[in-house]
Amino acid sequence: MKKWAGMIGLTLVALLAWAYLARWGEPSVDQPIAFPHKTHVQQLKLNCTNCHQRAEKDAAAGRPPTALCFACHAAVEAKNDEMKKVRAFGESGKEIPWRRVWRLPAHVFFSHRTHVTVAKVRCQTCHGPMETLDRPPARPLRKLAMDDCIGCHEKWEWPKEITEGGTEPVRVAAGRRVSTDCYACHR
Amino acid sequence: MALWGMVIDLDRCTGCQACVMACKAENNVPAVGAGEAVRGRIISWMQVLTEEEEGHPGEIKRFMPRPCLHCDDPPCTKVCPVYATYRNPEGIVTQIYARCIGCRFCMAACPYNAKYFNWRRYQKEAPGQNPDVSVRPKGVVEKCTFCHHRLQKARDRARVEGRELAPGEYITACAEACPARAIVFGDLSDPGSDVARLARSPRAFRLQEELGTKPKVIYLTEGEGHGRA
Amino acid sequence: MAAREPGGRDAALFAPIELTGRGFYGVVAILFLFILWGGVAYWVQFEEGLGVTGLHQPVSWGFYVTNFVFFIGISHAGTLISAILRLSKAEWRRPVTRMAEVITVMVLFIGAGQILVDLGRPDRMMNIIRYGRYQSPLLWDATSISAYLTASIVYLYLPMIPDIAILRDRLQKRKLFYTVLALGWTGSERQQRVLNRAIAVMAILVIPIAVSVHSVVSFVFSMTLQPMWHSTIFGPYFVVGAIFSGIAALIVAMIIFRKAYGLQGYLKPIHFRYLGQLLLIMSLLWFYFTFAEYLTGYYGGTPEEMKVFWAKFTGPFWPFFWGMALTNFVIPILCLVRLGRHTIAKVLTASLSVLVGMWLERFIIVVPTLSNPRLPFGEGIYWPTWVEWGELAGSFALFALFYLLFTKFFPVISIWEIREGREVGLKEVEERLLTYLPDGSEAELAETGRRW
Amino acid sequence: MSREHSVPDRMARAIQWGLAGAAVLFIGGIVTWISHLIRTAWRLKDVPSASIGISLVAVPVFLTLLGVILYVFWGLLGDRSE
Amino acid sequence: MRVTRRGFLQVLGGTATGAALIKQRLVKAEDAGQDLNKWATPEEVVVPSICQQCPGGCGLLVRTLDGEVAGISGNPLHPINRGTLCPKAFGGLQLLYDSNRLKGPLARDGERGRFRPVEWDEALSMVTARLSDLRAKALAHTVAILGGQYRGYRDTLWKRFAQAYGTPNYIRVRCLPPEKPALAHRLMQGVTTPLGYDLGEAQFILSFGAGLLEAWLGPVHASQAFARLRRSEERPRGRFVQVDPRRSPTAIKADRWVPIVPGTDGILALGIANALIREGLHDKEFVEEHTFGFEDWRDQRGEPHEGFKDLVLREYGLLTVSAATGVPVKTILEIARDLGTIKPALIIGERGPAYGPDDLHTRMAIHSLNALVGSIGVRGGLLIQGDLPLAPLSPVKQDEGAQRGLGQARIDGAGRGEYLLASDAPQVLAERILSANPYPINALFLFATNPLANHPTKAELARAFDRVPFIVSFSPFLDESSSMADLILPDHTYLERWQDDQVTHLAGFTCFSLARPAATPLHQTRNTADVVLQLAKALGGSIAQSLRWEKFDDLLRAGARGLYEARRGYVVSPYAEESLRKILERQGYWIPEFKSFDDFWEALGKRGAWWDPTVLPVSREALHTTPSRKFEFYSTGLKRLVDEAVKREGKTGSFVRALGGQDRGDLLFLPAVAVPSAQEPGEFPLRLNTYRLMSRPTGGGKNQPWLLEQPAVHVRMTWERWVEIHPKTAAGLGVKDEEWVWVESAKGRIRLRAKLYAGTRPDVVHIPLFGGEGPSANDLIANEVDPFRGFGLLNTTRVRIRKA
């Protein structure tokens, strides 16, 4: 009798664990090219927004256009297979079929450009230490939840030079804080 | 802080339902299908109601487009058990789909029946939808949001450009589509705005005013007179 | 088997726990069928969404909310009645209280479950706990129902402790179970004092909680601005209705167990006559409240209110409304005015009628208001689907099953209270009676004299 | 009934005290929950008065219930250990 | 703390596992729809386009994301709709992404109705082979092209193709051809281009059954004008009267709804004329100076003729009119007084319902009111609609084969005999094909039309189609007609193709809209205009020479050059710029905006339209191009036509018979409508009135769920079609709301849901012509032909109703 109870209990626990793990586990993403962020950021001293240009211009950061890669890689000698692939894509005029790794739920409005150009949040704050990667990440380096957004929004204070200027964003956010209204982000 | 509101001129409204369809397209409101529609489950954030002549049932007197009225004292938000619907600082009555538990208390409490429920999962993400608005899952309540995603985008643009939101930069899809320009949308707290000026018109009235819900959608009656107000 | 024990006198009370016959399994099987229906219905609803019900715009609440109000109403059977009887030291309560209290506990689970069944996103029900807000009457419900549930369980459990001790000592099976629950009861004086005091406190505490529960349930409706909901007397109206349906449910349960477990010796016609009289009073009280509620609405005559009013009186809901009037008032009155003969049959008829009637009353409160919105919409007629019927059947069956299982673990009539009645009750009553009368005891007189 | 402290007896006592603990946890949980709701309402400026008002009634009721439960546990179990 | 409490409570409820599993399932269910490779927000491009859901011609802005359409809004620069839209426009999204669209060309596989997919090249060569073959056998004229509701260069292209190939049978299947001037306008004013309606400036509008705010010329344009009539800053609220047996949404919005016995509109108009003249409220100056035939007159031979005035005063006394029309005398008088005193007033009869057998004279009677109140050629009245200065195309080269083919009579007989005044006569098409009169049809092209669903003679047409050995359809859907085809070459939907639009009937300004493809084509479909060019090229010879453009956009470009060189008009621009231009242009200045045609073309593509905002200062004389240079109450044009016909065919010729007979004498040329004698109700006591819904004016688009869900605002009905019955009539029949009923006519019967609707005359029932799913009113409509439009009469059928 007791054994049975124990068994049932164990199964239950296992089931629970499985359910939770299954929820957390996200499919890993294989990229068409083993892009090394480390080489580009640490060695070549590129900024994130040098390639991810739309992060400064648009709500979505998007992917860098292949033409941008090709701009450099057309001139640089292709040292390995990956670089040859870049060249091949560039010459064919086709976009590299990058796959998305980071994605927000559809009900979230998130503007990269506000966070990058106005609030000057570092990319790594949300994306994690991308500059250390030799290979593209198979899954997001950091897992973000709503509490992360709110935590930052509640603590955030606008830099002095902006508040003293008294420009619009500060007044919209009612004081030195940014909005924590649900409708600022939910859509 | 802005106070978003809408004026609907019933004298101009022709009951064409352009607002209804504009809203559906803008907000990814699903078509529920013939079977569900017959069961009375059409979702229509903006709905053109027909008012009948008193004493002459069946004789339509006027058309009355009814979005969510975004009451300043909304009966629906009081009853929400999880803060999925509340009046935000700019007067928009929200609906947070990710929070809603689908108890439908707000639907029962809304005297204007402006809230709609996803009785089933009516649609998935598909081409043709507006990417600025999320597709609602089954089991949650949805309603007119005054196209607040347009506000998000407009504000984002203004913020990046380091300026105030310009009047007219943010209007709802229904106001934009209305061929008779019967719907005027804007900031009620700005006394110079069109919407505030029209709201002061002697023709202005609010739906079920006696309930004390203080709707921010203001109607203008039909009638003789001169000029727009 | 029971006869070999000294307590063989109350063998009928032990029998259900000691012996399990074929009848029991038969009943359980039937109940399981209904529960299965409910279960399948819920699974379908969970997969497909609430679309499988008959709900629609604008009738967004239907059977489930009706059931919720109804079941929470039934729960007043118990604890409230038993508490009042205990406090008033009504001696005829002894075989009644346990059954009443069990109803409360079991039905509260079922009632609260209705809300979960009604949710569009049951997976998010934890949101109520994580992000709940007290401005919503739904949270008031959650709080008062959990208080009531806690109190009811305690109030059911405390008077059961001596019985559990008896079972612990008497039965060979489930030794640990009874040992734990008996809390080491030996019947010592101190233990008796503690228990009696606790029961007394609980009896007092449980009454306001019970009243609050159904008031709060009514607030779900009356806090909105909707016609025929937004009413100040909804609180007491619901409480009266709840007690009304509670007594009816209690009577039905008593009659069933009397027959099934052969408890004729404990539950005599006199019990039913008393309960019947109580039911009669509640019927009249219910009628008074209904009358007051509808008269106020009618006299005020606001158009929205009248739309709902006529929808109930002559509109699509007339069969429900007049059915309710018939079953809640006419039939009970006819059955209960003279209880001299065929007491049990009459009381049973009246009770069953009231159960149907009170369910209809809840339905007639929930649905017509929603299907007659203020603005000119298409008025929708609501009719439930097999899913909702399944949930209704399943809920009743689940309740019956819970109750039945309870009787297999614990005596359905308080053994020690019956014994106490036999042993000390008679004397106590006599003494107490004397203190009521003008020629009371000397001490009493002396005290009165001093005060004057 | 034997007075010895047999194994099941000790286990029974453990479970009994466990039950009392569960009651404390349960009602403690509810009280914490209520205070959490007050805090949330305060933070969101969402009618904290309603939360406080209700908690003023609900918390004492729950505490009283807890009191009764503990009183019984203590009273009955305590008696036997004497 | 939170975790403990949560965990604890979960255990308490025994819900932990359940919740986790549930959550798991839901999360999965929600993710399933997401395309994992899709980027959330690709680059957004806004492309101007033209709405093709009705002939309104509104400008669109289509929001696209990587070639996927993400939304439609009105083009704020477009002069027709100024950024606003009607409900149909949004259905375009669902039309584009309709799952029932054909994925590529289909060829018949065995019997009709079965198909196999084919490649475009193969399909085109099949058509070419067939066309060459027929031409070689001197049977070019046996190719018939049925075209639907479209205009502009697609019409030009087909016309050219027919002319170059050598078939006279380019037949349009439209009951309301809006490009032509209305017959009444042509006969009474002599105009050859359509008239424009200055609705926005009118102060009083009297409409005879025209669904002004629903499905008239353009609902958006009309709604804007209506709004201006109702509320504008600078003038008092205008008045609007709707004469209609049905209280349509337009009638609901009117200040006065005049329910009328169907088909008696002309009599009412003459009654109003009577009251106007009797009370001396007509515009005496205009009548005296600009009209002919008002007073009695003598012709060159000295024979006396009765004038309009005498006719009206003699024949159309208010009591007579009131009895015939069911409109109270008081109402007639009040309308006449408003009409005579509120200026400018506008009377609309064009594109109203078919008024019955005496349709032409009814329309003449209605139009004569415009002359009586002097609303011709004035602000707020009727204006002349100028032609677009498009570049003329080189003349069609016709070889011998083409000339021979074109020398043949048209199969539908349009332009001859009783159909002398009709440009197309699809109503008789079925009968002619079936009887091979005057010749059999060997090939049939179906473009933008679905006659087997939308035409009253659909049953006959279906049989006729069986006789045609080769049918090519260009429909993007497998609809009733295309499923009869041998070959389906699916067209793009309008958001995927190059196209133009040339809207007529505006408030005097001219407008050319241009759209380039907004969405990347979803399927293997092709713009039919391109396909026609490809066919012409494959056929070679003079056909290829006549249609020598590579792509349709080359043709558009060639035509638009005319606009660039016209030295007037502008590519639409923001309001401020535009008003400045208007002022300058009124003073005779015109500033070129572009240095080259390429710049012009690019701007046209980016902004969506060219227009000439300046209403040409047209003198009243220019509006009257009749022999008398006046507005003719007595139509000498009609007299000439009749005289010629009599000369040709004799006094009993078919044309004269179609007009109502020679024995009516002068009444034939005056707006005289015979007062019908009272009819016994008989077997079919109710009149059937068909009407067009705002949401579905021209049929088609079965898979636009938003519109089908809420098709009408005045009755609550969804997806299905319905019949509107007056509650009193319904009570007499024992019919309740939403019950099924049989609607029966002499032709057939259909089962519909009854909707009780108080806004109607009790003796009339109404069925929307097009709408949701369900049987069509075409199954009831008697196959009566209107000889002046060549289409069936849609509103004259009598029916009865039984409970089903």
Side-chain angles (χ1 to χ4, degrees), chain E residues 19 45 65 89 167 323 395 437 443 489 545:
Chain E
V45 182
L65 301 165
T167 174
N437 168 27
L489 308 175
Q545 279 166 15

Side-chain angles (χ1 to χ4, degrees), chain E residues 651-734:
Chain E
K651 278 200 167 190
T652 51
S654 50
F655 177 62
V656 182
R657 254 189 291 127
L659 263 182
Q662 177 75 330
D663 55 346
R664 286 178 74 193
D666 273 357
L667 291 185
L668 209 52
F669 316 116
L670 280 165
V673 185
V675 177
S677 49
Q679 261 184 319
E680 282 298 305
E683 216 185 328
F684 298 102
L686 299 167
R687 292 283 299 260
L688 170 67
N689 177 40
T690 58
Y691 68 97
R692 283 150 194 281
L693 285 167
M694 172 73 162
S695 58
R696 307 274 69 202
T698 55
K702 288 200 178 140
N703 206 358
Q704 298 179 27
W706 284 328
L707 295 171
L708 292 171
E709 224 168 60
Q710 285 160 297
V713 70
H714 65 288
V715 291
R716 277 190 207 100
M717 203 65 191
T718 173
W719 286 87
E720 290 169 315
R721 298 195 198 187
W722 65 92
V723 52
E724 284 160 36
I725 309 174
H726 194 279
K728 271 188 204 146
T729 314
L733 295 163

